[in-house]
């Protein structure tokens, strides 16, 4: 079992940012400047080709930290961010770029590669959650959420299916192929994002993944637009979703 080691710290505009490692996995923890003792924790998963401090991650974290008083943590997925790529990573990425240049469907490659990454990342997320819950400002008894779109969904669904500590989750924008069976094991409240004009994931595929969740409370958020045009207001919706299900006041977002 690996302990968490903090490696850097900074703060701005009411939020503390602390880099950490759990074993050889790098991550970042954002917290309220006030400390946020025993506040809820939201784990996030970044998108494919991105990293733990991508603007989408830090922006969502700021909304949760300053709007709700939560802690938020992200780790670099295997082969992403500050983590080296394996030969397998390089081969899959090269194949993806080849298909893209040839105008061939990217989905089969992304689904296969993301499933491989999830096998590696799920135990890393569980170890990270173990370590974070040992921190006195978080503790082992507080509620935990998960938020991941695209590759964050590919990793997040098997992670949430395997870990009963997660009590609410936001997913979206992925194919159902290898995820539907795991989604059938998930019964916690779910919010799911789908782009109606996604050029990679068909409406039928997106709806099939949403339908697979066994949750009694699940909300489908469909917007017009292509894969990378998920509206900014869906972030506000997700923040309110976590505030409702993890505790605390629902923030008033402009």
């Amino acid at each position: 079992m690996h302990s968490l080691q903090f490696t850097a710290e900074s703060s701005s505009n009411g939020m503390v940012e602390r880099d950490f490692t759990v074993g050889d996995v790098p991550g970042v923890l954002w917290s309220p400047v006030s400390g946020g003792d025993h506040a809820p924790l939201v784990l996030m998963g970044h998108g494919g080709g991105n990293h733990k401090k991508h603007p989408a991650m830090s922006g969502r974290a700021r909304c949760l930290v300053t709007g709700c008083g939560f802690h938020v943590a992200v780790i670099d997925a295997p082969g992403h961010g500050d983590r080296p790529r394996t030969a397998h990573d390089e081969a899959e990425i090269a194949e993806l770029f080849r298909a893209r240049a040839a105008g061939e469907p990217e989905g089969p490659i992304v689904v296969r590669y993301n499933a491989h990454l999830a096998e590696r990342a799920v135990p890393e997320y569980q170890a990270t959650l173990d370590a974070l819950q040992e921190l006195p400002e978080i503790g082992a008894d507080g509620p935990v959420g998960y938020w991941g779109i695209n590759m964050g969904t590919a990793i997040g669904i098997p992670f949430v299916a395997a870990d009963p500590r997660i009590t609410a989750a936001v997913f979206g924008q992925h194919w159902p192929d290898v995820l539907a069976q795991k989604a059938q094991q998930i019964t916690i409240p779910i919010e799911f994002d789908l782009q109606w004009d996604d050029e990679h994931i068909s409406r039928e595929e997106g709806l099939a993944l949403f339908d697979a969740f066994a949750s009694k409370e699940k909300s489908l958020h469909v917007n017009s637009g292509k894969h990378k045009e998920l509206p900014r207001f869906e972030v506000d919706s997700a923040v309110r979703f976590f505030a409702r299900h993890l505790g605390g006041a629902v923030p008033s977002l402009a």
Side-chain angles (χ1 to χ4, degrees):
M1 182 175 179
H2 299 290
S3 62
L4 183 149
Q5 302 291 328
F6 287 114
T7 58
E9 178 175 330
S10 62
S11 63
S12 65
N13 300 320
M15 186 168 74
V16 176
E17 177 182 290
R18 288 179 285 177
D19 294 346
F20 66 81
T21 58
V22 176
D24 60 356
V25 177
V28 57
L29 174 64
W30 291 285
S31 301
V33 168
S34 60
D37 285 350
H38 291 88
L41 168 68
V42 175
L43 296 172
M44 296 197 298
H46 63 75
N50 294 331
H51 55 85
K52 61 186 179 296
K53 292 188 180 182
H54 186 272
M57 297 294 96
S58 58
R60 293 170 191 174
R62 185 167 297 280
C63 290
L64 287 166
V65 172
T66 62
C68 304
F70 291 175
H71 300 280
V72 180
V74 189
I75 60 174
D76 280 328
H80 288 70
D82 294 323
R83 303 182 66 179
R85 290 177 178 173
T86 65
H88 185 274
D89 294 328
E90 296 286 6
E92 290 286 60
I93 292 167
E95 178 64 9
L96 175 61
F97 285 136
R98 184 206 62 77
R100 184 175 297 170
E104 298 175 2
E106 300 177 15
I109 302 165
V110 175
V111 167
R112 180 183 68 220
Y113 183 42
N114 282 355
H116 170 75
L117 293 178
E119 290 180 0
R120 298 161 62 189
V122 168
E124 295 171 351
Y125 266 92
Q126 291 181 304
T128 298
L129 180 53
D130 290 342
L132 289 168
Q133 288 189 322
E134 292 183 358
L135 296 174
E137 63 267 38
I138 294 178
D141 299 325
V144 183
Y146 179 86
W147 187 357
I149 308 296
N150 303 317
M151 190 183 75
T153 286
I155 292 172
I157 287 178
F159 168 51
V160 172
D163 202 311
R165 291 174 291 183
I166 309 301
T167 55
V170 174
F171 298 120
Q173 295 186 271
H174 207 279
W175 296 264
D177 303 62
V178 298
L179 296 178
Q181 186 175 4
K182 293 292 185 181
Q184 292 169 0
Q185 302 171 27
I186 294 175
T187 59
I188 61 172
I190 295 294
E191 190 165 286
F192 190 89
D193 295 319
L194 187 154
Q195 288 298 95
W196 202 237
D197 309 299
D198 196 312
E199 68 273 29
H200 303 298
I201 304 165
S202 71
R203 298 170 185 177
E204 293 76 16
E205 289 171 316
L207 291 170
L209 182 53
F210 172 74
D211 189 51
F213 290 102
S215 308
K216 291 184 178 179
E217 180 183 335
K218 56 181 182 179
S219 177
L220 177 63
H221 288 215
V222 180
N223 290 280
S224 62
K226 294 186 180 296
H227 186 73
K228 293 186 177 181
E229 296 175 349
L230 185 69
R232 171 65 175 80
F233 58 71
E234 289 297 349
V235 171
D236 299 340
S237 177
V239 171
R240 292 190 176 97
F241 169 84
F242 284 120
R244 288 196 307 272
H245 291 291
L246 303 184
V250 176
S252 176
L253 298 169

